[in-house]
Amino acid sequence: MSKKVSLTNKILIAMSLGLILGSLINAYATTQDFIQIYLVNGLFYVIGAAFINALKMLVVPLVTFSLICGVCGIGDINALGRIGLKSFLLYLLTTGLAISLALVVAISLAPGQGFEQQQASSSFIAKPSPSIADVFINIIPSNPIEAFAQGNMLQIIFFVILFAIAMLMCGDIGRQLADTAEKLNEVMMQVVTLVMDFAPIGVFCLMAKTFSEQGLSLILPMIGYFSVVILCLLLHALGTFSILLVFFAKLNPLIFLKKMRPAHIFAFSTASSNATIPVTLQALEKRIGISNTTAAFTVPLGATINMDGTAIMQGVATVFIANVYQIDLALSQYITIIGMSILASIGTAGVPGVGLIMLAMVFNQVGLPVEGIGLILGVDRLLDMMRTVVNITGDATVTCIVARGENTIDEAIFNNPDAGIIADIHLPHKAS
Ligand code: ASP
């Protein structure tokens, strides 16, 4: 048994070691140093980026096979529509709660008052953001192959669901295909396990690289903003989600958080909800006991449209920048911020740094200076890692609530502490 637990613990140890080593390099090595060139931008960068690629490699095939199995498993188009509508509305609700909480806390604590504007470290050039009409039009892929090639999650979900519904309508032929998809899904889950075996080294390199670039010196001048964001993230993750889990999913939040730990580690080290999809799926299905018929649908959808942590950052950043530039925001502007944050999170994928692009959309809408984002750029990577953890926890919480409503949660798995623990890989040997 102890051997089984060891991979998760190995990843945790690797994460802490990477964090410590990275911080030491940041404190003691200068930019021209051998360490910076060959270790940080050489070895750590190459292994870290390769590991992220390996995770991303799993996402499209896993979501495809898993979603086909999910839709065929539900087997009923009405039930599918019900799950879709429920998860969509719950995602909107949790994002709305997140941004409202952030605004209330930030307005009360007023970070940024008396802050010297000249401290702006660099100016921020906003990338153009998609219009709301485009967001909805673009859910339908004009070319599914392109959608798969680019990993466009909403388009993939749309096409695969349509395809799986058609499979259901085709009777025998569809059933044969569904059997094959089930086998392929099983194999893909095994590929996930194989990639996870390299996680300790991948996570170590990602942490070491990030923390060698993110020193304490960047955080200190921004400590007010930084701590208000973290406070709100904690309140939302431990408060709001726990309340929702207890009352609507009837689950113990402490067990839930413990079982989500592997997914949290991956979200933190990759800062990408999308790249974490395979691990979130595995945690929900194998450790928490949610059926594939629910999780295969809600997880990829949530990774794209649900970003509670990102909404929190946006709420606090808006109040912070308004305070720095001494701009008074009216109630109607706050309501616009809530609406914009919810809409922005629907239209943008869960990849690193996307929160800043969404923030530019919000600033444009309420007339705050977009170059103000330059102020928070320096500390954004660290906050990105933390808010991604909250983003995927939100996806998992909504999944549990939907699963409770659909009766697709296996309490025996949920209550079994050893269920689905990532085991060390034992590669098959050729029989002699
Ligand atoms: N990195 C976040 C995610 O993948 C999005 C963001 O806040 O930038 O969920």
Side-chain angles (χ1 to χ4, degrees), residues 271-274 307 310 350-355 384 387-388 391:
S272 167
S273 310
N274 266 21
M307 292 180 198
T310 308
V351 291
V354 81
D384 195 2
R387 65 187 184 242
T388 307
N391 288 349

Side-chain angles (χ1 to χ4, degrees), residues 267 270-276 302-304 306-311 313-314 348-358 380-381 383-392 395:
T270 60
S272 167
S273 310
N274 266 21
T276 311
T304 316
N306 184 50
M307 292 180 198
D308 292 3
T310 308
M313 176 278 281
Q314 291 176 355
T348 37
V351 291
V354 81
L356 288 183
I357 301 169
M358 292 156 67
D380 195 66
R381 174 69 193 186
L383 291 178
D384 195 2
M385 297 160 89
M386 296 186 217
R387 65 187 184 242
T388 307
V389 173
V390 176
N391 288 349
I392 63 142
D395 303 341

